[in-house]
Amino acid sequence: MSALSNRINNLSESQTIKMAKLGRELAAKGVDIISLSFGEPDFHTPEHVKDAAKKAMDDNFTYYTPVAGYPDLRKAIVKKLKDENGLDYDASQIVVSTGAKQAIANAVLCLVNPGEEVIIPTPYWVSYSEVVKLAEGKSVFIDTTVESNFKITPEQLEAAITPKTKLFMFSSPCNPTGSVYSKEELAGLAEVFERNPHVYILSDEIYEHINFIGGHESIAQFAAIKDRVVIINGFSKAYAMTGWRIGYTASNSEIAAACDKMQGQITSGTCSITQRAGTAAYDGGLESVHHMRDEFKKRRGIVYDLLKEIDGLKVNLPDGAFYFFPNVTAFFGKSFGDRKINNADDLSLYLLEEGHVATVGGDSFGDPKSIRLSYAAAEDKLVEAMKRIKAALGKLQ
Ligand code: PMP
Ligand code: GLU
């Protein structure tokens, strides 16, 4: 019998992290793996951000920080929310965390009681359903398909809400589909929330700058519901700062105080040096961010053209983030040698072992019909990866 708690026994391992690990292990054995599994920009952190971190160390920013973050960083975040998103927050409503991942965990653990329902459109980012489990809440899924560009309608949202609903969680631009909700689409959802004042909204906006169709729209712009929106954002994607571990929530004051209290008992304030780097990132303008976005857009075009040529894959053109989420059901039931593909996770493993390309099966994103490919990799690697995927899929009969 396991000595471990039901809490951890019931928790699924993060598949994004698992597939990245499997890919690294094979690469360490000398296999030439192309990793399209991990959602992480392949760019370096901008120089001015790294310089600020070096200076922070020399200036002895090496002590415990305020749990919710240094005041000047919280002010820089407030300014960013005003300038880039047109949203008004006070610095006391910002809680800086060890990555957007912790910001999400803080918010869910602070809002959701055991048994309360959390509505999550599928496909969703892998950690959403798991953090709801940690809070002992109940995930209620709204399924979407590639045909509707993986977006939900106000009618679907309304039908999923019950008196037990506490929270709605989504990302736009979306990981894993790259879908982006327009202002009009968000307005439709906001109207439903206006009629349902018991529902809070967790709006994960970490990919806001990787948007190929225009400016970012936040659901917090709708005044009637703003007080119930918790914005999640961070520096990992926009500033290529995945290893620095910094993200934040912007919310009403009650939720902000709760997240501060929660974090004060679990991790305390995020790394002092990272926080100084974060302030420099926001103070330094958007030039590097726009450069990365333009590169991602170019790669999206290259990968899309190659994916469309592969028989059996059903794929849409995503409007943001850096993922494709092709439907792979055409390969279910097919085999190569003694290897049979029963589901998307089997296919992802097959592509790793036979094609030497790491992807992530859709099951952990709540969509067992698809696989996720990240195109945050160099162009020549992407072209080679598509060649390998085409060849490996072509062998399945
Ligand atoms: N939300 C989404 C949708 C993500 O893809 C990720 C992964 N980076 C996160 C949150 C967590 O980001 P961070 O690295 O800031 O913890
Ligand atoms: N968010 C990235 C992804 O989806 C990084 C992995 C993770 O944090 O789970 O792949």
Side-chain angles (χ1 to χ4, degrees), residues 99-101 104 125 128 171 175 204 206-207 236-237 245-246:
K101 200 175 248 184
I104 293 168
W125 184 46
Y128 291 176
S171 60
N175 178 2
D204 185 343
I206 191 142
Y207 293 95
S236 288
K237 314 293 167 177
R245 311 309 304 131
I246 178 167

Side-chain angles (χ1 to χ4, degrees), residues 263-289:
Q263 186 164 295
Q265 292 290 21
I266 300 179
T267 55
S268 285
T270 196
C271 168
S272 51
I273 298 155
T274 292
Q275 289 194 43
R276 298 296 297 159
T279 306
Y282 272 1
D283 285 349
L286 290 169
E287 200 186 320
S288 59
V289 175

